[in-house]
Amino acid sequence: MSLPLTVPFNLDVTLCCGQVFLWEPRDDWWFGVVGGKALRVRHCVDRLEFAGVGEEFVKHYFRLDDDLDGIAREVGKDEYMRTALSEFWGLRLVRQEPWECLASFICATFKSVAAIQQMLLKLSLRFGKQLTFEGQEFHAFPNAARLANSSLEELKACGLGYRAKYLLETSKMVAAGDFNPETLREMPYAEAKRILLGFPGVGRKVADCVLLFGFGKLEAFPVDVWMKRVLLSHYGSYFEAGVTKKLAEASGLSNSDYEKLNGFARSYFGCCAGYAQEYLYHYERCLRGTTNLKKQRGLNHKFKVNRHEAEQS
DNA sequence: TACTGGCCTAGGTA
DNA sequence: ATACCTAGGCCAG
């Protein structure tokens, strides 16, 4: 199936920018599993081609209904931000499934993207429902009930380390009904955040990721080490000198410091601060990180090798 | 309320 | 190869 693209959209950047972990580039297509269904999608000049799902799903998942031009006008407050926007123009946030998003970002703390991919892949292979799509095997991300019935040892075997305890506990709470996505979706940002902070393994950063990617709270602005660098080096003048100096020297980020950076960004960029975050984050990683788009696409081969290894174990 | 270590581990790098 | 080093933090004290 095919969908004419009448709005700005860059599929590759959208799937490479670190908001999702389990999409796999293969044979010129992106393969993924969403909502228990496997699908493939690719970007061809002026249209999207896809299989496994319908047009409405694609539009919804990739947020093609967001007015990206309007958002860019809203968050493009300064030259630096406008550069990031133009550099990766067409990057869109994705409407992830809340549970998968919550579980993913609990696992993601203090880990590199490559390691996160491996952890989540192993969880899916071991606990996820097996699917067949066009003759190929895929695995859905495991639901909370399944993980709640696993053991600490099993989760650690997937490489989770100290996160295993958090994921197991949170899975149990979610399976017991403590996590109602519909309710959280209706709540305002601050209220939903308070609920999320009640799950073990969920601090401010993880909560903001889940609010942004899982619940579409576009005012959420996750601050990780990369965003901290961006905010200090390009927006340092908005903070007291003492704060800037202290943050630059410290490796971590205390809760109160998180609130300072997060609070500034949300008031500065406004109601779509989350979009600003994703563009700045990706820009920073491509500029200063060891990661760049070319490399990420080059992950393909390695990803396949690791998938094979994971299946052996 | 705010700060400080400790924590599991795998990928990446020199 | 083989050691490091760091990675999209969180939590208990």
Side-chain angles (χ1 to χ4, degrees):
Chain A
M1 291 177 74
S2 162
L3 162 68
L5 269 180
T6 55
V7 295
F9 182 50
N10 186 325
L11 177 67
D12 292 339
V13 175
T14 295
L15 293 179
C16 278
C17 70
Q19 59 177 322
V20 287
F21 301 106
L22 290 178
W23 280 86
E24 185 187 358
R26 206 157 81 197
D27 307 327
D28 205 30
W29 290 85
W30 284 100
F31 285 81
V33 178
V34 184
K37 285 204 287 190
L39 65 143
R40 60 186 161 92
V41 56
R42 71 175 172 188
H43 192 164
C44 295
V45 193
D46 59 349
R47 66 185 198 282
L48 277 182
E49 294 183 346
F50 51 91
V53 292
E55 179 175 327
E56 286 312 309
F57 176 91
V58 170
K59 284 182 183 169
H60 184 259
Y61 183 74
F62 291 109
R63 299 193 72 106
L64 297 183
D65 52 320
D66 280 340
D67 172 17
L68 206 52
D69 289 297
I71 290 169
R73 280 195 297 276
E74 178 70 26
V75 303
K77 309 278 189 194
D78 55 81
E79 204 50 48
Y80 190 75
M81 185 66 232
R82 286 193 289 273
T83 304
L85 284 166
S86 70
E87 194 73 18
F88 300 111
W89 186 236
L91 185 167
R92 280 171 191 270
L93 294 171
V94 159
R95 285 193 172 95
Q96 296 184 38
E97 291 182 284
W99 161 247
E100 177 174 345
C101 189
L102 174 61
S104 297
F105 283 94
I106 285 176
C107 293
T109 70
F110 214 45
K111 275 288 184 189
S112 64
V113 171
I116 298 164
Q117 285 176 337
Q118 293 308 317
M119 282 190 288
L120 299 179
L121 191 56
K122 284 176 184 167
L123 284 176
S124 299
L125 289 172
R126 194 176 293 249
F127 302 112
K129 186 182 170 192
Q130 187 175 318
L131 308 166
T132 303
F133 175 56
E134 298 177 335
Q136 298 186 70
E137 194 179 297
F138 293 86
H139 292 263
F141 190 81
N143 62 32
R146 178 64 189 90
L147 291 182
N149 282 322
S150 72
S151 67
L152 215 50
E153 291 68 33
E154 285 179 293
L155 294 183
K156 283 188 175 173
C158 295
L160 268 66
Y162 65 83
R163 303 160 196 80
K165 182 171 47 135
Y166 300 146
L167 184 60
L168 186 58
E169 286 307 305
T170 293
S171 297
K172 286 177 179 169
M173 289 169 68
V174 172
D178 292 353
F179 179 70
N180 186 338
E182 311 317 316
T183 314
L184 267 93
R185 200 180 292 283
E186 297 307 315
M187 285 180 186
Y189 169 81
E191 197 178 341
K193 188 168 184 175
R194 197 160 41 76
I195 303 283
L196 287 171
L197 289 172
F199 291 100
V202 179
R204 284 160 172 74
K205 191 270 176 180
V206 172
D208 274 326
C209 286
V210 177
L211 289 166
L212 181 59
F213 306 132
F215 289 107
K217 306 286 183 203
L218 298 187
E219 69 266 49
F221 192 98
V223 179
D224 57 22
V225 292
W226 297 94
M227 287 314 302
K228 177 181 151 185
R229 285 172 205 151
V230 172
L231 292 171
L232 290 182
S233 43
H234 299 283
Y235 300 90
S237 60
Y238 291 96
F239 304 97
E240 297 163 32
V243 174
T244 328
K245 188 166 183 295
K246 192 186 96 186
L247 288 177
E249 286 165 358
S251 56
L253 204 57
S254 71
N255 282 342
S256 60
D257 292 336
Y258 187 98
E259 292 303 321
K260 283 195 186 80
L261 297 181
N262 172 266
F264 157 73
R266 298 208 305 122
S267 65
Y268 179 79
F269 290 114
C271 61
C272 294
Y275 260 101
Q277 192 272 359
E278 210 53 23
Y279 274 88
L280 288 174
Y281 171 76
H282 192 54
Y283 188 43
E284 180 71 6
R285 281 180 54 103
C286 287
L287 277 184
R288 292 166 62 167
T290 53
T291 312
N292 59 40
L293 265 186
K294 203 190 257 179
K295 264 193 172 177
Q296 287 188 25
R297 305 226 52 190
L299 262 179
N300 194 1
H301 172 67
K302 191 168 183 183
F303 200 77
K304 264 192 269 190
V305 170
N306 287 339
R307 170 175 284 247
H308 183 71
E309 284 169 357
E311 278 165 357
Q312 305 293 308
S313 62

